[in-house]
Every structure is written in C-alpha cells, then in structure tokens.
Amino acid sequence: MALIVQKYGGSSVSDAVSVQRVARRIVETQRAGNDVVVIVSAMGDTTDELLDLAAQITATPPQRELDILLTAGERISMSLLAMAIHELGVRAKSFTGQQAGVITDAVYGRAKIVDVVPSRIAETLERGEVAIIAGFQGVHADTNDVTTLGRGGSDTTAVAIAAGLNADVCEIYTDVDGVFTADPRIVPAARKIDHLTYEEMLELAASGAKVMALRAVEYARRYAVPVHVRSSFIAALGTWISGSSDDPTILNPTEREAPVEAPIISGVAHDDSEAKITVVGVPDIPGMAARIFEVVADAGANLDMIVQNVSAAQTGLTDISFTLPEADGAVALHALTQVQGEIDYTFLQYDDQIGKLSLVGAGMKTSPGVSARFFGALRDAGINIEMISTSEIRISVVTRADSLQDAVRAIHTAFGLDADAEATVYAGTGR
C-alpha cells in the first residue's frame, strides 16, 4: 500500500463531467490498495471570474477580503469532487486549507507555508476514506485569518501536504502528458521528458515553464518529495521529478546513450510576463547598486536578471537594468521615484514589451559549444538580445516580446529537441 497525494488543476475539474472523470481516477487509485489524498484547484476560470466580480465593486479591494473571496473557488471544487466520489461508492471528506492544517504567514495574496499539521487528514485516511483538500489556501495561526498562496498555490499545497504526510509520491495532474522540452502550444514538436532533477525543474519553472509552480518545486527539493507530473485525461506515465544533478545515475534513457560528458539539454522555457526597469545615470560609487535593490526589495518586488553597464569615464555614471514580474513594476517604479534625490540617478525607463528565453540542461557549464550554438541560432533567426544571464545549467536572454515565440522555436530546433509527432494538449493552459 502506498500513500499517494494527487493534485488536479482547474482545467481537470472545469465542469461536472470533468469532476466525475477525476473522481473515477481517484477511486481506481484507492481500490488498487492505496491511501489517497487529493488537492484540487478552482474549476476552470472561477478564480478569474471572482477577481472580475471584485473589480466591479472596487478598484482596490482589501486584501484580507479578497483572500476570503478567492478561496471560495477551491471550496466549490472540493465539495463537488467529494460528492462525485461518494456516488461511486467510496467515502470521501473535503477540507479547507485551514481544516487540513496548512499554516501560513500573514502575507495576504501570496502567503508562504510555515507549517503543516495534517492530523485530521491522517485520521481520515485511517478510516479508509479519501481526503480532499482545497488548494491555494491556508490560515495564519495567530489571527486565524484565511490566506491565499498566490500563483501555483495548489501545487505548493500538494507538495507541502505530501511532505507533511511523508507520502510516497505527489502526482500533479494537468492537461498535458508531462513536462515537455518546450511549451507544446508554441512548439508542437516538443518532446515529453521522462525524468528531471529538482535543479533542472527549478530552472525551467523559474524561467517560465508553467506546468509546475516554482515554489512547489523548491518545497519538493527541500523535503525530497518525489513528484510525478502527468495528464488527467489519460493513464500514461508522465514526467518524474526527483534526485539531484550531482547524482550520475539520474539520467533519461536517451541520455544514457549520449557520448560521455556531452551537454544534456532538458528543454527551452519562456516567460512573457516580465518587465524591465533601467535606472539611468547612477553615480558609479560603492553602495549605489545596493541601495537601489534595497529599495526594490522593501517594495516587495522580486528581481530576476540584473545587468550593470560599464561606467562612462567622462561622467562617472552608469546604467543598471533589471527584470521583474510585470505585476511588480508599478510598486518598484514608485519606490525608486521616492529616492531619486538620495540615489541621484538621472531618470527611470520602464519596458513591459520584453520576453525571456531560457535553455536548461546539465553539463552546459563545461560545454562551450552550447553557447555558440545558442547565440548562433538566435542570430540566424534575426532575434536581437538585450540581456544575458547564465547559471551552471541555464542560459537566459531577454528579447522583444513579439519575437519571443520565434526565438523559442529556433532554439528548440537548433538543439535537436523536435519530435517526429506533435504533442497533445487536451485543454486549458497547462496548469
């Protein structure tokens, strides 16, 4: 007997028929001799619809009330799914994040999980019942206020519950067959990847791959939770995420046949939800960059790529550019404007028409030919590069937003990642 945690995204429970299909899969898993815990997202576009309703009432809803509103979507899903499972002759009980013991900090809208106390879930499993938990939500221990976890919160809930219960596997069900070498909506010839290390999946998620949330992968790596990303529409195996890139036995079957020390390319990720801020005319003296990023951090904005230009000898001034989520752009600009006199920069430039492209794979650091092929492919496709960032297993560049998809396809083909057949996308957005 195994303890399996399953997470179903919004496209997997988008209507009554989909809920019943998911219920059948859950019942099949339990009748195969497993204990089953299910994390469920809101149905289809319910969260967006609730946000639209709030916007019709006020342009600035109190964040506490918005969190209470948004948790309603997952509560609808969990109760309907419990009913569907009961109809199949299996006992099931649904729980909110609070009832499931998901304890968070007090940051409304993007709270972080600080503890998981799944005692009621364990009791439910001991009675032979299926436990269904509303994803994306928790509770602050001191105030007892409901909180939401932000984008990808149901993924994070699933991995946290799996870690708290010491589950054998956390299955992330979605509307594609697993993690692909690129977004199959943009690259139809993308290939499904059989296995990824935590580090590779972290880089892909951080670079824009939407099939699994970054915070969920971080949580899985920290607590060594094996994750299986698979389709809720078919029974085939998906993509396993586990292990470390330091372990030489962690390789895909196709990689085992590759030449020794050949660069192993996992995939191409892209992100069109970022913006770029350039602080122009910064005095090139110690402490100025630190002050800029302290201001941005205090505003609650998350930075991604950073580039500082060479100082102009005549003026002693430099430019500092960085990318961040477009949603954080306004607060970062406002915060920097407030300290212009202190930092003494000339002016700010804001650009939300950018896209980020990333190539991820093990062995890239010691393979200089990877960089040459990467930049050569962009050159041949006529793609201009504005920023460059690298890690041991990643090369990222910023391009114009309107050329991003062409860049993704060019890089995917250049590294021989195209498959002979087109990937299947069943519905929704891949989350």
Side-chain angles (χ1 to χ4, degrees):
M1 178 180 291
L3 172 53
I4 299 175
V5 174
Q6 298 182 339
K7 177 262 176 178
Y8 293 91
S11 61
S12 298
V13 291
S14 59
D15 53 33
V17 173
S18 299
V19 170
Q20 291 169 326
R21 182 182 63 248
V22 166
R24 288 193 293 271
R25 171 163 287 198
I26 293 167
V27 168
E28 289 171 2
T29 304
Q30 195 215 42
R31 286 177 174 165
N34 304 296
D35 288 330
V36 186
V37 177
V38 180
I39 315 299
V40 65
S41 297
M43 299 174 69
D45 298 323
T46 299
T47 301
D48 290 335
E49 291 168 358
L50 291 172
L51 285 169
D52 290 341
L53 280 173
Q56 293 175 38
I57 301 297
T58 173
T60 56
Q63 191 60 59
R64 178 185 181 275
E65 305 309 319
L66 189 61
D67 273 16
I68 292 174
L69 173 68
L70 295 184
T71 57
E74 280 72 20
R75 297 181 186 213
I76 293 169
S77 298
M78 73 181 194
S79 56
L80 290 174
L81 184 56
M83 295 175 192
I85 292 172
H86 274 281
E87 282 296 298
L88 296 174
V90 172
R91 292 177 297 171
K93 185 172 290 185
S94 62
F95 299 89
T96 65
Q98 179 178 11
Q99 292 169 329
V102 179
I103 312 301
T104 75
D105 61 20
V107 181
Y108 297 115
R110 50 181 175 184
K112 293 184 178 180
I113 297 174
V114 298
D115 197 8
V116 176
V117 188
S119 55
R120 294 189 66 181
I121 307 305
E123 293 169 0
T124 300
L125 296 176
E126 289 175 3
R127 293 193 296 268
E129 300 173 344
V130 174
I132 304 170
I133 301 171
F136 176 65
Q137 60 187 258
V139 64
H140 184 247
D142 294 337
T143 65
N144 209 33
D145 278 350
V146 171
T147 56
T148 62
L149 308 182
R151 184 183 180 279
S154 292
D155 287 358
T156 307
T157 303
V159 175
I161 291 292
L165 292 170
N166 196 27
D168 294 279
V169 62
C170 178
E171 297 181 335
I172 304 293
Y173 284 92
T174 181
D175 58 5
V176 289
D177 293 338
V179 182
F180 281 76
T181 51
D183 186 339
R185 295 161 188 79
I186 293 175
V187 184
R191 293 186 295 106
K192 182 174 71 69
I193 305 169
D194 295 329
H195 183 272
L196 288 166
T197 65
Y198 292 123
E199 292 90 344
E200 288 171 315
M201 191 64 232
L202 276 171
E203 292 283 12
L204 287 169
S207 300
K210 296 179 176 62
V211 72
M212 190 171 177
L214 175 62
R215 285 167 59 189
V217 186
E218 291 173 338
Y219 212 110
R221 180 177 66 168
R222 184 178 305 125
Y223 294 100
V225 176
V227 177
H228 189 191
V229 180
R230 57 194 309 194
S231 171
S232 63
F233 294 84
I234 61 172
L237 294 177
T239 301
W240 281 91
I241 302 168
S242 64
S244 168
S245 57
D246 296 329
D247 184 351
T249 66
I250 302 298
L251 291 173
N252 290 340
T254 55
E255 293 163 357
R256 298 181 192 278
E257 301 168 1
V260 176
E261 293 195 66
I264 300 168
I265 304 303
S266 300
V268 182
H270 74 283
D271 190 350
D272 58 4
S273 65
E274 293 198 344
K276 180 174 68 173
I277 293 177
T278 301
V279 188
V280 179
V282 179
D284 193 10
I285 58 177
M288 286 296 101
R291 183 59 185 139
I292 287 172
F293 296 124
E294 286 171 356
V295 170
V296 175
D298 290 343
N302 294 314
L303 300 189
D304 186 6
M305 300 170 67
I306 302 171
V307 171
Q308 178 173 337
N309 294 334
V310 176
S311 175
Q314 310 93 304
T315 63
L317 302 177
T318 186
D319 300 339
I320 298 176
S321 298
F322 56 88
T323 62
L324 73 174
E326 188 177 347
D328 292 342
V331 294
L333 284 172
H334 177 73
L336 288 170
T337 300
Q338 300 304 304
V339 296
Q340 182 171 10
E342 174 189 344
I343 298 175
D344 197 27
Y345 64 81
T346 306
F347 61 93
L348 300 174
Q349 289 181 337
Y350 181 73
D351 184 359
D352 59 3
Q353 298 302 307
I354 64 167
K356 183 176 71 172
L357 165 71
S358 301
L359 180 72
V360 177
M364 289 170 52
K365 182 179 180 181
T366 55
S367 303
V370 173
S371 297
R373 192 190 309 181
F374 180 86
F375 293 109
L378 293 178
R379 174 202 61 207
D380 295 343
I383 308 295
N384 189 47
I385 299 168
E386 299 184 11
M387 299 176 73
I388 301 172
S389 174
T390 64
S391 73
E392 291 187 356
I393 62 172
R394 172 187 52 78
I395 302 174
S396 294
V397 297
V398 168
T399 71
R400 290 287 87 198
D402 58 8
S403 62
L404 181 59
Q405 294 190 12
D406 290 338
V408 170
R409 287 186 283 265
I411 294 299
H412 196 270
T413 299
F415 282 87
L417 299 176
D418 292 352
D420 294 332
E422 290 191 0
T424 302
V425 179
Y426 298 93
T429 61
R431 282 211 53 71

